[in-house]
Amino acid sequence: MAPGLRLRTSRPEIPAGYVRLHRIDAALTACSPGRVAVVAAGPGYGKTLAVAAWTRHHPLDGPLVWLTVDDTSGVASFWNDILGSLEAAGALASHSALRDIVPGVGFAEQEMDLVIDGLAESPVPITLVLDDVQRITRPEVLESIHHLIRRRPGQLRLILITRKASDLRLQKLRLDGRLVEITAGDLTFTRDDVVEFCTRIRAEISDDDVDTLLERTQGWPTGLRLAVLSARDDLHAGVVQFNGQNELVAAYLLEEVLEDLAPTDRRFLLSTSVVELMTAELARVLSGRADSRAVLDDLVANNVLTVRLSDRPDWYAYHPLFRELLVDRLAAENPDAPAELHCRAAEWCVAEDDPISAIRHYAHAREWMKASEILSTIALPLVLSSQAPALAAALAPLAAEAGRRPTVDTLLAAAIVAYQAGDFEVMARNADDASRLLGDSPESPTVGTRVVIALTRMVTARHGHLDDIVPSCDAILDLVTEVPRSAVPAAPAYALMARNNRAIGMFQRGEIDVAAADLEYSRTAAESVGMSLMAMAAGTYLTLVDLVRGELPQVRSRVEEIGAAARRRGWTRQPQAIALYAAAALMHLEHHDLEEAERAVTAGRRAVAGGSDTGAWLIVEAAAVGIAIARGDAYAARTECRRLDLARSRSRSLPMLLSSWHEVVAAETRIVVGEAAVVIDELAGRARSDTYAGSLARVVLAKAYLAVGRPADALETLGTAAEFAPYRLQVVEAQVLSAVASAQLHRESVALEHIAAAVRLAEPVGQKRPFVVAGPLVAGLLLRHQRLADKESAFLRDLVEACGGEPVPAVDDGVPIEPLTDRELVVLRYLPTMYKASEIAADLYVSVNTVKTHQQSIYRKLGVSTRRDAVDRARERNLI
């Protein structure tokens, strides 16, 4: 859990002299699981303390989850905070599915429902308190709270604490009777409350002074407390002099409290006001006082607007109004002090492994260079974690400064903010501007600065310069291998990021074996250091490696495993998932499961909206074209091909494999729409490589030759099946196309040999697409092959049906026969003809004796003695 979140999951401790308002306790108790309570009032009404006191004294029927919301959070970060607070409160069972969810890019209602369903399935009711809801300014975050309320998880009691309820759309809750409302009127002190407060702090007050105090404060709790504190020793005089109401008099009252303190305590308060929360050690760093813990404990004990966090007793906080005054006074009395104090706080945060808070403090001090150093040496890997929105928020002041006075440091911060927002063009522009400034500077850049620039170039390559992925990763690896770990603690993470992206770049180049080895290393290493998204990215590209190798069962296994993990963690729209959907779409396409393939394409396109993996997007669109071609829909193929061209246009240049994929799919579309001759003109003479990309090109060129009635040229282009090894899927397609070409040349026996080889290779992996799209001749060849097959095959029956043929039922007369060899089956097909043994031998390029040997073996296995009987028995057995 991030350090900042850990503190925001803590309730305030109830201060001495606190007056419990039993009417508030009763109202909150009426908020049973499945209902919502909204505590809405202005500052100083004691909203947070009232709820905290109720949780202290009311026995809850399940865990209490407390979260003070962060005003910088986006939807994913907000829900990540909720999940973190649930875990911190012990509200998640060991087997809870909520433990697996890690909100990321694209986190929306579908992923929220995973969280809400998990809450609804809790074995015990959960009380979730969201404090400071008014700090939420992003409409999408508020809408996500509305969605939570609409879903009504029966095991959740939701309590919202806010200064205003107007943004919460509560009317339907009111009508349904599911809303408990606590307003300023309920929190306003009554006469009895004032008397009890004075009694608790041992302040004697007359009835008349109580009436005066109530009249002048209008029962505002903080006003009452400040009035009593500011009265010093003469409560009556203080009450008489006091006038005004609510926060209009807060500054005056707080000044009175501050002036009443010893000068040393006053300096302590001013110097520690630059942080919202502090430990005694942080207070010592800021104030220089070795007795900081004793000072803080005295402030709490004397009720000087200081509280201790009950769930984190080593941490303290000032009342917000009090802290605002202290910050203002510090700046007025010593304008140079805030920057120095923020720098001290930043250094402490770095030592405490809280780089985001360190950046935030350096930004307050306008120490842009130091903030950038923390970013480049420590914090940048967090941009790939659930803390990315918090990092971007901490960098926002630097990004804003870049718009006014651009420097290398502010421009790099702006680049990271743009990356987190998904604006890769702005990211690249800021990084390029920073690089130009470095070139104009006489000073040598730090290694950290050079690494950040190199990382942005790597991201730019993944987004729009795919051919530059490998060299951009090599540049990072060169940098981080020469720097000591002490100088750039994040160097190992940077190296892993570069190695993983380099492996992806090698795959896109067509270096399949190299990519596979590096991807497996990256996946294992990322898992071991908790970089789960990177591990998923490596796994998805390993799935594409399996697909290229034709290992469809392994593809299915990875798709199911990684897909299940993505759904559990709410990562279905992460850009790292695009390659998974691409592999799934192509796998289903090869299985001729077109509806599932379409679903995978749709999921991939949803993920593309928030991602930078242009290469995987191109493969998704290639799969969409393949689906249209498999349906024989020329119009849809042309339409999908235009979407493919759009994906292609994002990248300035394409590495070899992606370029071949795009070229081949575009060529297949042209063949479907009747432009095969154009394809031949473009590819003839170029499609001879034995690489994977070359095999794709040879297959599509053969299709073009078949489309224009040139089967001999198709056969010459395809060559032998061995030339396509080790790419099983292309071997199958080459065998199918060779069968069709041979059939067009009336070489029936050769055609049957090719179709038999194709079926034999396709069956173990369930590949059907090449048979279905190869034309009407395939169905007849499959039927003849089915009659000659020596065993029943469900795959073959399904294949025949998919190609539009009617499977031939097997005949069984109860007399088993010994299976015929492939060569005997070929000779058997000649027996019904008028060919003599010498003519059969000439046709098969074998000797007459060989043919006669095969004939005698056929007679023996079929249990006959003549050629005519062999033909009859073979027909009975559907062998011919």
Side-chain angles (χ1 to χ4, degrees), residues 28 83 88 126:
L28 290 171
L83 289 166
I126 295 173

Short mmCIF file of all heavy atoms in Angstrom, two decimals, residues 28 83 88 126:
data_model
loop_
_atom_site.label_atom_id
_atom_site.label_comp_id
_atom_site.label_asym_id
_atom_site.label_seq_id
_atom_site.Cartn_x
_atom_site.Cartn_y
_atom_site.Cartn_z
N LEU A 28 -27.03 7.57 12.63
CA LEU A 28 -26.09 6.69 11.95
C LEU A 28 -26.43 5.22 12.21
O LEU A 28 -26.28 4.37 11.33
CB LEU A 28 -24.66 6.98 12.40
CG LEU A 28 -24.09 8.33 11.90
CD1 LEU A 28 -22.76 8.62 12.58
CD2 LEU A 28 -23.93 8.32 10.39
N LEU A 83 -10.17 -0.22 -2.65
CA LEU A 83 -9.69 -1.59 -2.46
C LEU A 83 -8.57 -1.64 -1.43
O LEU A 83 -8.51 -2.55 -0.59
CB LEU A 83 -9.21 -2.17 -3.79
CG LEU A 83 -10.32 -2.47 -4.81
CD1 LEU A 83 -9.73 -2.70 -6.19
CD2 LEU A 83 -11.13 -3.68 -4.38
N ALA A 88 -6.69 -2.79 4.13
CA ALA A 88 -6.10 -2.28 5.36
C ALA A 88 -7.00 -2.53 6.57
O ALA A 88 -6.52 -2.74 7.69
CB ALA A 88 -5.83 -0.78 5.23
N ILE A 126 -20.17 -4.64 5.65
CA ILE A 126 -19.00 -3.75 5.66
C ILE A 126 -19.50 -2.32 5.78
O ILE A 126 -20.42 -1.91 5.07
CB ILE A 126 -18.20 -3.91 4.36
CG1 ILE A 126 -17.60 -5.32 4.27
CG2 ILE A 126 -17.08 -2.87 4.27
CD1 ILE A 126 -16.92 -5.61 2.94
#
